[in-house]
Amino acid sequence: MRTPFLLSLIGTTLFCTSCANIDCPLDNIVVMTSTFYASETDAPTRLTGSLSIAPAGRDTLLLNQARNIDKFILPLRHQAGTDTLLLRFSNDDGRAAEDTLFVTHDIFAHFENIDCPANIFHRISSVRHTNHAPSLFPATVDHVEIIRPLVDYDDVENLRIFLRSTTSY
């Protein structure tokens, strides 16, 4: 009589432990990482003024007056294949200028496990930019390189933004 009870106890224990291990990623935020480099030396650089970033056509700030930064992380949109980002450089004496990045990317769903929610990954295919005249503001975007096109959970450099600077601002 004890054998059926023991078998049901073992079966229940095995069933409960086999369903308890769902392997969903804990760090599941998808962002693009962009780092700054000096175009004259190809060395990493740090902004001493402030940088604000807004998406074109929207009344939203993605980054608000960040100071003393060497990189920034931003999400890419899920609804469109191109993100237009307005980079506003400014300093304490009131000088400011704006450059624009056009990040074109493919959008695809990514599933880790059937028990986990899907995430949207991106593959950057191209980046274009506009830049202001250095006479308006000393730092301006010189060129941009795609380092790692896949934008996923990994906190790695996706874009390298080279800045041309006439002076330290």
Side-chain angles (χ1 to χ4, degrees), residues 118-131:
N119 268 311
I120 302 296
F121 283 5
H122 310 271
R123 184 170 306 283
I124 300 171
S125 55
S126 68
V127 178
R128 295 181 299 115
H129 73 280
T130 64
N131 51 11

Side-chain angles (χ1 to χ4, degrees), residues 62-133:
L62 301 173
L63 186 67
N64 189 19
Q65 297 183 355
R67 296 177 89 46
N68 199 29
I69 61 170
D70 59 354
K71 70 178 180 175
F72 62 86
I73 58 172
L74 294 176
L76 294 173
R77 292 189 319 164
H78 301 154
Q79 300 84 5
T82 300
D83 281 53
T84 303
L85 304 171
L86 307 174
L87 282 64
R88 182 173 177 78
F89 299 97
S90 61
N91 60 13
D92 293 334
D93 69 3
R95 294 178 68 192
E98 194 170 88
D99 292 349
T100 306
L101 288 182
F102 303 93
V103 181
T104 304
H105 53 91
D106 297 320
I107 304 161
F108 58 96
H110 173 76
F111 296 95
E112 290 284 330
N113 185 321
I114 196 162
D115 295 322
C116 303
N119 268 311
I120 302 296
F121 283 5
H122 310 271
R123 184 170 306 283
I124 300 171
S125 55
S126 68
V127 178
R128 295 181 299 115
H129 73 280
T130 64
N131 51 11
H132 62 274

